[in-house]
Amino acid sequence: MRALILIATALAMTVPAAAQETAASADWSFAIHGGAGTLERSRMTEQQQADYKAALQVALDAGAKVLKEGGSAIDAVTAAITILEDDPKFNAGRGAVFTWDGINELDAAIMDGNGRRAGAVAGVHTVRHPILLAQQVMEDGRHVFLSGKGAEEFAGEHGLEIVPPEFFATEERKKQLETLKAKNLSALDVEFKYGTVGAVARDSEGHLAAGTSTGGMTGKRWGRIGDAPVIGAGTYADDRACAVSATGSGEYFIRAGVAHAICDRVLLAAETVDTAAKTVMAEVGAMGGDGGVIVVGKDGAPVFALNTPGMYRGRATASGMSEVAIFADE
Ligand code: ASP
């Protein structure tokens, strides 16, 4: 009898701890972005705002579903990004911006915070989902960063979906290039926004992941590569600190090593993800760059930091948060 009581007491004592563990491990968290920029209410009709929000919600829900069902952070990131790549409203995959030479040149990266494995591709023209190609590079493990023809050869060898280059082209993006050339404008003048897409996730096992996919900047030349596929600039994940995906004037994000800088501040200076993201984005602003980041840390809800009037974004958590927003003041 005494033994039974002892066992019962021991069990009772372990229950709260076990329950706590379950609660903590189910604490998944997810965020997406569809680009930052001069997104102002006066520039967008109610209908446009509703269309963008609906598109963001679809991608957000797809990633959240993966996490809710116990899937991995990496799978949540690719679930959302493949949807955004197919949506011509965003500058990734179909609907990517045009280069100076009138083609679509795509960049993407993905990083697994568990072991800091990473894969990235730049300058691809025929791979329907560059984020899946980046993931394949990561899984293959021999290299981290592939570009151009070689990346496409690798895609073919690994059974990625190949499409004709025209698949990515839209009339609207073509017009933006024509306007940029005719009026000698900058990419932001014709687009009003950076339309790169990205996602960050923490899964129920506490692993973090980040992914980013983009067509770059309208009128880019000479094989220009932005920050999105550069590990540590536009994309970074480390289970010990945070996962980051960025959008904005890529050259500044590369120079500031934005995504890595944020995670370093969290890891080494024990800053919150919010403080770290805001501090680094302020540095980018001081250098002359603009844009935004989405960040998820080891616990808590995802955070956003931007120094533009808006950023297409959304976040969802295990505790029931599910929201999308466009303007900085939302
Ligand atoms: N950061 C991207 C680049 O510089 C642009 C974007 O965010 O849309 O290529």
Side-chain angles (χ1 to χ4, degrees):
M1 186 64 188
R2 194 178 144 75
L4 269 181
I5 290 171
L6 276 177
I7 291 169
T9 314
L11 277 177
M13 282 173 67
T14 58
V15 169
Q20 240 177 20
E21 209 168 274
T22 317
S25 67
D27 184 25
W28 59 264
S29 195
F30 187 59
I32 57 168
H33 71 78
T38 50
L39 298 164
E40 286 155 355
R41 283 186 180 80
S42 57
R43 288 191 198 271
M44 294 183 82
T45 64
E46 294 276 327
Q47 188 57 50
Q48 282 170 328
Q49 294 178 34
D51 289 349
Y52 271 97
K53 283 189 169 174
L56 290 167
Q57 192 71 55
V58 170
L60 185 70
D61 290 348
K65 182 170 184 286
V66 170
L67 297 169
K68 199 180 292 173
E69 291 171 357
S72 72
I74 285 285
D75 286 348
V77 163
T78 55
I81 293 183
T82 48
I83 289 172
L84 295 168
E85 283 178 336
D86 272 345
D87 190 329
K89 285 195 283 306
F90 301 98
N91 172 19
R94 209 165 143 256
V97 298
F98 277 77
T99 65
W100 185 263
D101 296 326
I103 56 172
N104 307 109
E105 233 166 51
L106 312 170
D107 304 336
I110 195 162
M111 186 155 182
D112 187 346
N114 182 15
R116 286 189 283 171
R117 300 180 313 136
V121 293
V124 297
H125 307 108
T126 61
V127 180
R128 177 169 174 183
H129 289 298
I131 194 69
L132 297 182
L133 178 55
Q135 184 185 13
Q136 191 63 54
V137 173
M138 177 176 79
E139 300 300 347
D140 179 79
R142 280 175 286 179
H143 302 295
V144 168
F145 204 171
L146 303 184
S147 69
K149 274 205 169 61
E152 298 196 323
E153 210 178 297
F154 178 90
E157 283 173 16
H158 287 80
L160 273 287
E161 186 177 349
I162 304 296
V163 290
E166 309 76 56
F167 170 84
F168 302 106
T170 63
E171 268 315 301
E172 197 191 332
R173 294 300 194 191
K174 203 176 218 165
K175 277 197 205 117
Q176 286 175 346
L177 175 67
E178 282 157 14
T179 313
L180 175 136
K181 283 185 166 180
K183 300 191 179 159
N184 201 16
L185 295 170
S186 76
L188 200 56
D189 290 330
V190 292
E191 293 165 36
F192 305 121
K193 62 179 165 55
Y194 306 104
T196 288
V197 308
V200 292
R202 181 180 68 243
D203 64 28
S204 56
E205 290 184 1
H207 296 307
L208 307 181
T212 315
S213 182
T214 188
M217 312 259 282
T218 302
K220 65 183 183 178
R221 299 172 91 168
W222 308 298
R224 180 262 190 195
I225 298 167
D227 60 314
V230 176
I231 298 300
T235 308
Y236 196 72
D238 180 347
D239 275 5
R240 299 171 302 168
C242 62
V244 183
S245 173
T247 168
S249 43
E251 280 66 14
Y252 292 92
F253 283 68
I254 294 174
R255 287 163 53 196
V258 165
H260 191 269
I262 293 172
C263 290
D264 251 7
R265 296 186 82 97
V266 173
L267 185 66
L268 306 174
E271 285 183 5
T272 64
V273 284
D274 194 40
T275 303
K278 285 187 177 133
T279 307
V280 174
M281 281 312 299
E283 282 173 15
V284 170
M287 288 165 71
D290 61 358
V293 290
I294 55 173
V295 189
V296 69
K298 288 195 291 180
D299 46 39
V303 301
F304 306 109
L306 53 151
N307 64 5
T308 47
M311 176 163 75
Y312 296 121
R313 62 198 187 278
R315 56 182 178 166
T317 64
S319 47
M321 173 192 275
S322 178
E323 56 187 35
V324 294
I326 300 177
F327 308 109
D329 59 11
E330 281 183 274

